[in-house]
Amino acid sequence: GELRYGNGVEFWNNAHDTLVEGCRLWEIYDAALTTQGIGESTKVNQIFRNNVVWRSEYCFEFWNHPASAVSDNIHFVSNTCAFSGFGWGHEQRFDPSGRHICLFSNTAQTTNLSIRNNIFFRATSAAIFLTDPWTGLDSLVLDHNSYHQGDTDGLLADWLGRSFRLDEFSAYQAETGKDPSSLASDPLFVAADAADFHLAPRSPCIDAGFNEATGLATTDAGGQPRVVHEVVDMGAYERQAGFPATLLGIVLQGGTPVTGEIACFQASQGATPMRVPLGADGSFRLEAFDEPFVCATYGNRGQKPATGAAPVTGGVWLDSRPVSGWVALYQTRTAPEPALARIGPSGRYRLPPAPRQPFVALTCGH
C-alpha cells in the first residue's frame, strides 16, 4: 500500500508565529520542512531559516486548502538544500520525485510567501515544482537563490506543466518573472559528498544574497555572524573572515608593469607581513585570509626618476571577488599629501598621473 506521514518538521492546518531554525535534517522520506493543510485554517508568521537539508525527497513543501483558508507572511530564507531524491526512501516510493521546493496545488488566500537566499544543489526531478491551481502566484517571491544540478538529469523547474532545464534559466526567469537576481551556478561547497555545506573560497554564493530578506537572522547555521562583508551570502552558512583565501592583484604605471615588492598586513598574522615580489607582468599572488588587510606596494624600487608622468592603475581581488576599499599613493619627490583612488566595483582602480619614480601605494581592502 501507500506509505505516508513521512515528513520531518510539519505544521498541519492552523499555525502562527513559528520559527524553524538551525536544524540539520537528512534521509527524510517525504518533506523535511513543510506547512500544509486542508480545512478552515490560518497560517501566519512562519519562518524557516538557517536549516541544512540533504538526501530527503523534498526540502520544503507548501500548500493549503480551501479558498477560505489563509496563508500569510511565510518565509523560507537562508537554507541549504542538497541531494533531494538521493535518500533511502526514493526507490521505495510509489511516486519517486526528488524536489527541493514543492508547491502543490494551493487554493488558500496566499500572500507574502518568499523563498530567498537559499542554495538548491542537485535534485533527481526538479529544483522547483509548482502545479495549478495556485492562488497568490503573483505575490510569491523567489529570488537571490542558487541552483545547480550537476550531473543529474533533474530539471531546474517543473512550473505549471512547463519544464525548464538549468540551461534554460534565462527563459525560466522571463516566463515566470521569478528569481531575477538568482544564480544558475555550482555553489562550490567545501565537501558536499561529506555533508560539509560550508562555502569554499571561490563560491559564487558569497556576497550574493539579499540583505533585506524577511526573516534573515543575525547569525548563520553555525552561530557565526550572518553578514561578514557588506552583502549576505546565500545558504545556511556565511563564509567567515579568517578563512584561507588568495589575494590577487596587479600594478601598472602608464600601462607598463611596475617592478618592486608588496607587503600585506592582516590581523590574524600579527605584526609580520606577508611579502612577495611583483611579477614580470606587475602581478602578485598572496595566500592570505578572508579578512580586512593593508598592503604596501613598493614600486619602481631602485629606479631613477624619469621624465614625464603616467597614471598608476591596477586591481585587487580576494578569492576572485573584487575588493572594496581605497588606494593611497605616496612619492618622495612630490607633496606629502597622497593621491587617493577608490577601488571600483570590478576591483580595479586608477590613480592620477604621477612622476615615474619610486613610490609606496597603500591598499586598504574590505
Side-chain angles (χ1 to χ4, degrees):
E2 297 181 2
L3 177 62
R4 305 306 297 168
Y5 308 111
N7 296 326
V9 178
E10 174 186 309
F11 296 95
W12 176 256
N13 284 344
N14 290 310
H16 64 87
D17 302 306
T18 64
L19 173 63
V20 181
E21 179 177 28
C23 299
R24 292 172 63 86
L25 303 100
W26 65 98
E27 300 292 355
I28 305 298
Y29 182 83
D30 267 338
L33 302 165
T34 181
T35 182
Q36 54 185 258
I38 300 176
E40 301 295 327
S41 64
T42 299
K43 296 177 175 294
V44 180
N45 302 333
Q46 296 190 270
I47 296 175
F48 302 81
R49 70 187 184 197
N50 289 349
N51 300 293
V52 182
V53 178
W54 71 101
R55 296 181 63 84
S56 300
E57 197 66 11
Y58 313 137
C59 179
F60 177 64
E61 179 183 353
F62 169 82
W63 51 273
N64 200 9
H65 297 286
S68 56
V70 174
S71 301
D72 179 54
N73 206 32
I74 299 172
H75 306 285
F76 188 79
V77 58
S78 298
N79 302 284
T80 294
C81 304
F83 302 118
S84 290
F86 286 74
W88 69 273
H90 183 73
E91 297 300 330
Q92 302 181 44
R93 298 176 63 94
F94 72 95
D95 60 344
S97 48
R99 303 158 181 155
H100 295 310
I101 298 297
C102 202
L103 303 174
F104 285 119
S105 173
N106 172 65
T107 57
Q109 303 170 55
T110 303
T111 52
N112 301 315
L113 172 62
S114 70
I115 300 172
R116 284 190 170 115
N117 294 0
N118 304 287
I119 296 176
F120 301 116
F121 181 79
R122 302 185 66 188
T124 56
S125 177
I128 309 168
F129 176 81
L130 184 144
T131 187
D132 204 28
W134 216 95
T135 302
L137 187 57
D138 289 343
S139 68
L140 169 65
V141 175
L142 289 102
D143 205 9
H144 291 88
N145 301 302
S146 173
Y147 300 94
H148 183 64
Q149 284 290 40
D151 58 0
T152 71
D153 295 326
L155 299 169
L156 163 66
D158 184 344
W159 190 275
L160 299 177
R162 166 80 157 92
S163 296
F164 295 93
R165 302 186 309 273
L166 195 64
D167 60 6
E168 298 176 304
F169 189 61
S170 59
Y172 156 77
Q173 291 172 306
E175 293 185 32
T176 66
K178 309 302 182 183
D179 284 303
S181 301
S182 295
L183 305 175
S185 181
D186 188 338
L188 299 179
F189 293 124
V190 169
D193 290 341
D196 185 346
F197 299 108
H198 289 85
L199 300 177
R202 292 177 177 80
S203 171
C205 298
I206 297 172
D207 297 347
F210 180 54
N211 289 8
E212 303 304 318
T214 303
L216 186 69
T218 57
T219 56
D220 70 358
Q224 299 299 313
R226 177 37 93 177
V227 182
V228 173
H229 302 127
E230 295 180 0
V231 181
V232 68
D233 298 347
M234 294 174 174
Y237 295 108
E238 189 86 3
R239 184 165 177 81
Q240 301 298 307
F243 276 70
T246 302
L247 186 67
L248 302 171
I250 189 168
V251 187
L252 308 170
Q253 187 169 18
T256 301
V258 168
T259 59
E261 180 186 54
I262 186 167
C264 185
F265 298 82
Q266 289 191 301
S268 61
Q269 297 298 295
T272 303
M274 299 165 281
R275 294 178 178 270
V276 294
L278 294 173
D281 60 352
S283 68
F284 63 87
R285 177 188 181 96
L286 282 165
E287 297 307 315
F289 290 88
D290 192 357
E291 63 186 28
F293 64 86
V294 176
C295 284
T297 302
Y298 304 97
N300 295 334
R301 298 186 76 172
Q303 178 177 309
K304 294 181 179 180
T307 58
V312 175
T313 59
V316 59
W317 302 269
L318 195 62
D319 278 339
S320 301
R321 293 180 287 118
V323 165
S324 58
W326 291 83
V327 180
L329 179 73
Y330 296 83
Q331 288 193 307
T332 58
R333 295 176 179 271
T334 57
E337 292 296 325
L340 296 173
R342 182 185 289 276
I343 301 171
S346 66
R348 295 278 181 177
Y349 62 85
R350 180 184 180 89
L351 288 153
R356 296 176 182 269
Q357 61 186 26
F359 65 82
V360 178
L362 295 182
T363 303
C364 302
H366 280 28

